């Protein structure tokens, strides 16, 4: 805490947020160590005290955003019976689809060192798509038990289809600036569950 009682953000998070702002505003060409530390309002050499370089920072940023969404997904099973199934799935799908700015996702995919680090971390068990998929499947199982989904629902396949498609959209359509994450999520969940499940989300949620 600062002397005035205001929490000081973790320095890594400050650097992550600064990098995200630069990427959104200037694109990959504007992402330098000096630009990030200046944007974050911290000492010039601080970035290299926490990261080996920009590739590692980008990789860790992506992993941090995936972990955040995985934590959100952990709460899904406890929400079984609330709102609608479609609305709950749209919320987590939208959160994952908007967890990274398109430019950040594009840089992560196109930078071999960052892409490799992300893949290795996820394979080693870092919270990400597998954890989100498991939480969604557990949530759907709970909804089946409550009778809000048919007993014939293949909950594992539905969770895989949702997370797999969102992952594809997130990591491969970063160049499509005309995309609407809310509309994409809406269409995907409707396709998986059918139009009768209903529900809506605020597209401003993150």
């Amino acid at each position: 805490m600062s002397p005035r009682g205001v929490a000081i953000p973790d320095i890594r998070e400050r650097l992550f947020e600064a990098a995200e702002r630069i990427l959104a505003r200037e694109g990959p060409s504007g992402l330098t160590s000096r630009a990030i530390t200046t944007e974050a309002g911290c000492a010039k050499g601080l970035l290299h005290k926490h990261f080996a370089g920009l590739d590692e920072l980008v990789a860790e940023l992506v992993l941090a955003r995936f972990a955040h969404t995985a934590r959100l997904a952990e709460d899904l099973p406890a929400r079984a019976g609330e709102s609608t199934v479609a609305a709950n799935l749209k919320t987590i799908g939208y959160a994952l689809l908007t967890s990274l700015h398109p430019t950040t996702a594009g840089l992560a995919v196109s930078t071999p060192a960052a892409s490799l680090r992300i893949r290795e971390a996820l394979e080693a068990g870092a919270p990400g798509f597998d954890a989100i998929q498991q939480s969604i499947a557990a949530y759907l199982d709970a909804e089946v038990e409550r009778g809000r989904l048919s007993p014939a629902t293949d909950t594992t396949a539905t969770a895989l289809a949702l997370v797999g498609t969102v992952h594809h959209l997130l990591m491969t359509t970063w160049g499509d600036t005309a995309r609407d994450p809310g509309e994409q999520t809406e269409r995907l969940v409707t396709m998986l569950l059918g139009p009768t499940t209903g529900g809506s989300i605020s597209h401003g949620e993150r």
Side-chain angles (χ1 to χ4, degrees), residues 139-176:
Y139 163 72
L140 293 173
D141 286 336
E143 294 290 19
V144 169
E145 291 179 4
R146 284 165 174 75
R148 299 215 301 171
L149 285 176
S150 166
T153 302
D154 188 335
T155 56
T156 300
T158 301
L160 173 60
L162 177 61
V163 174
T165 304
V166 170
H167 169 252
H168 171 77
L169 292 171
L170 176 65
M171 304 305 288
T172 64
T173 61
W174 48 270
D176 182 7

Side-chain angles (χ1 to χ4, degrees), residues 124-137:
F129 300 106
D130 284 347
I132 296 168
Q133 180 183 327
Q134 291 169 13
S135 294
I136 291 173

Side-chain angles (χ1 to χ4, degrees), residues 13-192:
E13 180 61 25
R14 284 174 58 188
L15 294 170
F16 288 157
E17 291 178 355
E20 287 178 311
R21 290 194 297 271
I22 292 169
L23 285 168
R25 185 175 66 236
E26 303 175 32
S29 63
L31 194 69
T32 66
S33 298
R34 180 179 294 274
I36 293 171
T37 52
T38 299
E39 181 80 19
C42 57
K44 295 291 184 286
L46 195 58
L47 184 147
H48 293 285
K49 290 184 179 180
H50 293 269
F51 305 100
L54 291 179
D55 289 345
E56 183 176 307
L57 181 144
V58 169
E60 293 298 322
L61 164 59
V62 171
L63 290 168
R65 298 302 179 249
F66 288 165
H68 173 72
T69 307
R71 289 192 295 272
L72 293 178
E74 286 179 357
D75 296 333
L76 268 179
R79 292 167 56 186
E82 299 177 4
S83 186
T84 67
V85 177
N88 290 331
L89 290 186
K90 290 170 190 173
T91 297
I92 196 64
Y94 184 80
L96 179 56
L97 190 55
T98 58
S99 59
L100 294 172
H101 187 277
T103 306
T104 305
L107 183 60
V109 169
S110 62
T111 306
S115 180
L116 176 62
R117 187 176 183 88
I118 293 166
R119 184 169 66 252
E120 289 178 341
L122 293 175
E123 290 174 350
F129 300 106
D130 284 347
I132 296 168
Q133 180 183 327
Q134 291 169 13
S135 294
I136 291 173
Y139 163 72
L140 293 173
D141 286 336
E143 294 290 19
V144 169
E145 291 179 4
R146 284 165 174 75
R148 299 215 301 171
L149 285 176
S150 166
T153 302
D154 188 335
T155 56
T156 300
T158 301
L160 173 60
L162 177 61
V163 174
T165 304
V166 170
H167 169 252
H168 171 77
L169 292 171
L170 176 65
M171 304 305 288
T172 64
T173 61
W174 48 270
D176 182 7
T177 57
R179 71 175 189 162
D180 180 341
E183 180 182 355
Q184 288 180 318
T185 308
E186 180 92 23
R187 293 174 62 187
L188 175 58
V189 171
T190 299
M191 179 191 72
L192 292 173

